[in-house]
Amino acid sequence: MTPPTGRLAPSPTGYLHLGHARTFLLAWWQARSAGGRLLLRFEDLDRGRVRAGMERAAIEDLEWLGIDWDGPIVRQSERGALYREALAQLDAQGLLYPCVCSRREIAEAQSAPQGEGAAAYPGTCRGRFQSPAEARRKTGREPALRMRVPPGLRTVRDEIRGLYREDLAREVGDFPVTRRDGEIAYQLAVVVDDHDQGVNEVLRGDDLLPSTLRQALLQESLGLPHPRWFHVPLVVDEQGQRLAKRRGETALAALRAAGVRPGAIVRWAALSAGAEERGEGLAAAYLPGFDLGRLPAEPALTFSQASD
Ligand code: GLU
């Protein structure tokens, strides 16, 4: 059996928080306990949201917790040529079409009476233009490229959640693989990168489970194998709300500055994942005997010093 290769794929758009710490520790334990590799990739394609200094901060946070990684750090912003190749491959199969719809127009189409509550792209630009050049000429707008989604129920297997099914065409519709500003969309970049980097295990927060069907469709269309997916429950606060990056008080950098010990966070993450008590220590302290099978199905309650 090929040893697993996993990855940590933070977006440098804000400070890492406790939810990242737990997911990344789980990814580290999962890869390392199987003698596998773990890569670090910064997902920095969304230039409007990337913030200076966040890569450096993420690296400090990971090192603080005792999480290491293999090989050079990869940045999506440096990999445009690979993504363009994949786009050409999809385009050659007739799977892409230009779309000039703005977010607002899509939202308006969705709130049409019969589409009450619908979230899917209604297909406005499907079959409308022969080429991106024609779309530009006829509308004066820069088009995005959308992937055609075939109708019908699609299924992926998640190692934690089991089978996940959705009628992707109905629930999501044709989805963008490039944005109107020319940037590559997350769904395509992730698929291209995971394959190119030899990633065969993707452990990440279960907020990304719905994206998995889009990624699986792209993998099938590009002739790529699926990785094994492990979607782990998120961390929630006392009100049951998921931690968001904006919530500064759960940022690892803020906890560090407040004198919280990394060992306390590692212990919290390990115990919340069903590990046996071993006291405070860095990531390696909880590596022996790590078993993802003990992970509870419910969201984890956020770390608080009061819980000691
Ligand atoms: N970059 C994404 C995030 O920070 C994670 C993507 C992934 O793990 O596939 O939410």
Side-chain angles (χ1 to χ4, degrees):
M1 256 186 59
T2 340
T5 297
R7 56 19 169 226
L8 310 174
S11 304
T13 53
Y15 286 105
L16 299 188
H17 56 60
L18 285 164
H20 295 106
R22 181 172 185 265
T23 303
F24 291 171
L25 282 163
L26 290 170
W28 190 86
W29 288 322
Q30 171 74 358
R32 296 299 190 220
S33 64
R37 286 158 48 80
L38 189 68
L39 312 177
L40 176 58
R41 177 172 78 224
F42 282 111
E43 306 212 315
D44 59 349
L45 285 182
D46 193 347
R47 277 182 243 149
R49 292 181 56 230
V50 167
R51 280 171 55 200
M54 290 303 127
E55 271 196 20
R56 190 62 250 156
I59 289 169
E60 277 170 28
D61 292 339
L62 295 172
E63 288 175 344
W64 184 60
L65 296 169
I67 295 175
D68 65 351
W69 56 89
D70 300 294
I73 295 174
V74 162
R75 282 177 198 82
Q76 291 188 323
S77 57
E78 294 164 1
R79 297 162 67 78
L82 272 178
Y83 308 140
R84 301 279 153 204
E85 265 175 47
L87 277 178
Q89 218 180 310
L90 295 172
D91 194 37
Q93 299 172 68
L95 294 173
L96 306 183
Y97 65 84
C99 167
V100 295
C101 296
S102 66
R103 264 172 217 245
R104 191 156 142 225
E105 286 163 345
I106 296 171
E108 276 167 13
Q110 281 163 351
S111 58
Q114 68 279 29
E116 189 82 59
Y121 175 65
T124 319
C125 285
R126 209 190 233 238
R128 195 170 157 204
F129 310 107
Q130 292 298 317
S131 65
E134 187 193 310
R136 240 173 251 128
R137 198 173 58 241
K138 287 200 168 149
T139 65
R141 292 184 185 185
E142 195 52 39
L145 291 174
R146 276 184 194 269
M147 173 82 185
R148 286 174 204 274
V149 175
L153 209 55
R154 305 187 61 83
T155 308
V156 286
R157 184 186 153 69
D158 182 77
E159 303 296 328
I160 294 178
R161 299 279 294 266
L163 296 182
Y164 179 74
R165 287 195 181 83
E166 193 178 78
D167 184 333
L168 192 61
R170 208 166 57 198
E171 303 295 330
V172 176
D174 300 337
F175 59 90
V177 289
T178 67
R179 307 186 332 182
R180 291 188 51 218
D181 62 7
E183 206 48 85
I184 301 292
Y186 156 73
Q187 306 293 355
L188 180 66
V190 143
V191 159
V192 170
D193 285 335
D194 283 343
H195 174 69
D196 177 70
Q197 297 186 276
V199 170
N200 52 19
E201 291 202 351
V202 169
L203 186 151
R204 59 189 176 190
D206 63 8
D207 54 330
L208 286 167
L209 185 58
S211 282
T212 307
L213 282 169
R214 275 165 270 177
Q215 294 167 16
L217 176 62
L218 288 170
Q219 281 153 352
E220 286 154 28
S221 307
L222 291 165
L224 307 178
H226 300 317
R228 295 174 79 205
W229 283 291
F230 302 80
H231 287 92
V232 301
L234 295 176
V235 177
V236 295
D237 66 15
E238 290 78 4
Q239 283 78 46
Q241 301 292 314
R242 57 173 288 206
L243 306 184
K245 278 183 201 164
R246 281 182 293 279
R247 300 218 8 193
E249 70 271 29
T250 68
L252 300 177
L255 295 170
R256 181 160 68 240
V260 172
R261 291 178 303 278
I265 293 178
V266 170
R267 172 174 171 268
W268 157 76
L271 298 186
S272 79
E276 281 164 30
E277 174 69 83
R278 289 202 187 121
E280 291 187 12
L282 296 189
Y286 282 91
L287 184 58
F290 174 76
D291 178 6
L292 195 62
R294 298 207 194 124
L295 189 75
E298 307 79 52
L301 187 61
T302 189
F303 166 85
S304 86
Q305 283 169 292
S307 65
D308 288 298

